Amino acid sequence: RKCGKCCRGAFGDNTVTVFPREIREVMVATGLGWLDIARPHESDDVDERGFFHTFEWALRKNESGDCLFLKGGECSIYERRPLICRTYPMRLESGRLELYECDGFGPGAMDRAEAGRMAEELVNRQLVEAGETASLLEKYEAFRPGRGASAPEKVYVVHDSEGSRKVLDRGGKCSFI
């Protein structure tokens, strides 16, 4: 039904995890830079240097917690939206279809052709996720656990399918280091 509730922070956790290739597609569509689009996903995994380690990127949100790309109640990157957005509120888990609670999903929301396209998207998402995971594991650089200190600045090491990147986060303002 495209109600957009899942894109709004007022209705719960609307974190959208994205893969590097999805970030690049949004970069092309918007002209924005990597860290204008995504930031390291929060993590409590800390190494001996005090760097936080994460395996995901998350789309940025605006001050109210809404997806950065929700404009006038509509997705401004709809044609380039991430796979998780394309398939929400559904996912495949061990080959079985699971549904998340969603006010925008209900009887009559999808015709047979649209259901077929969604099934293809779900299979595609599962294949992409498996490929991303395999690539991440090939490039993963292990770290020795340590303790994090509370500080206004955090250094994240983001492990993804393209390798590892360090990001300095100064209260939401991020830069590569």
Side-chain angles (χ1 to χ4, degrees), residues 16-30 32-34 37-38 56-59 69 77 79-87 121 124-126 128-129 132 160-162 165:
V16 174
T17 56
V18 288
F19 299 120
R21 104 178 169 166
E22 293 175 313
I23 296 169
R24 291 185 196 293
E25 287 176 11
V26 174
M27 288 171 68
V28 168
T30 64
L32 294 172
W34 188 288
I37 295 165
E56 298 177 321
W57 294 97
L59 282 185
F69 300 102
I77 59 167
E79 293 303 317
R80 301 284 182 138
R81 70 193 186 281
L83 286 168
I84 196 168
C85 299
R86 291 176 185 275
T87 58
E121 287 283 5
N124 180 48
R125 176 178 164 191
Q126 195 163 52
V128 169
E129 287 175 352
E132 289 284 329
D160 64 31
S161 60
E162 296 180 357
R165 296 178 178 92

Side-chain angles (χ1 to χ4, degrees), residues 7-128:
C7 306
R8 294 186 179 99
F11 296 103
D13 182 14
N14 63 339
T15 301
V16 174
T17 56
V18 288
F19 299 120
R21 104 178 169 166
E22 293 175 313
I23 296 169
R24 291 185 196 293
E25 287 176 11
V26 174
M27 288 171 68
V28 168
T30 64
L32 294 172
W34 188 288
L35 293 173
D36 298 320
I37 295 165
R39 66 177 319 270
H41 193 281
E42 294 293 322
S43 173
D44 294 324
D45 293 329
V46 182
D47 69 19
E48 58 192 2
R49 299 169 296 181
F51 294 176
F52 291 81
H53 289 254
T54 184
F55 298 91
E56 298 177 321
W57 294 97
L59 282 185
R60 286 198 168 271
K61 301 176 187 181
N62 65 22
E63 309 79 44
S64 64
D66 294 348
C67 176
L68 183 67
F69 300 102
L70 185 65
K71 309 280 186 200
E74 294 185 1
C75 180
S76 64
I77 59 167
Y78 191 79
E79 293 303 317
R80 301 284 182 138
R81 70 193 186 281
L83 286 168
I84 196 168
C85 299
R86 291 176 185 275
T87 58
Y88 189 82
M90 296 177 255
R91 73 177 183 147
L92 290 176
E93 183 63 37
S94 301
R96 298 189 63 190
L97 181 66
E98 289 188 356
L99 298 174
Y100 295 100
E101 191 172 323
C102 175
D103 290 343
F105 191 73
M110 230 184 249
D111 63 23
R112 190 168 184 80
E114 193 173 0
R117 285 190 296 278
M118 179 62 77
E120 288 176 11
E121 287 283 5
L122 285 163
V123 170
N124 180 48
R125 176 178 164 191
Q126 195 163 52
L127 292 171
V128 169

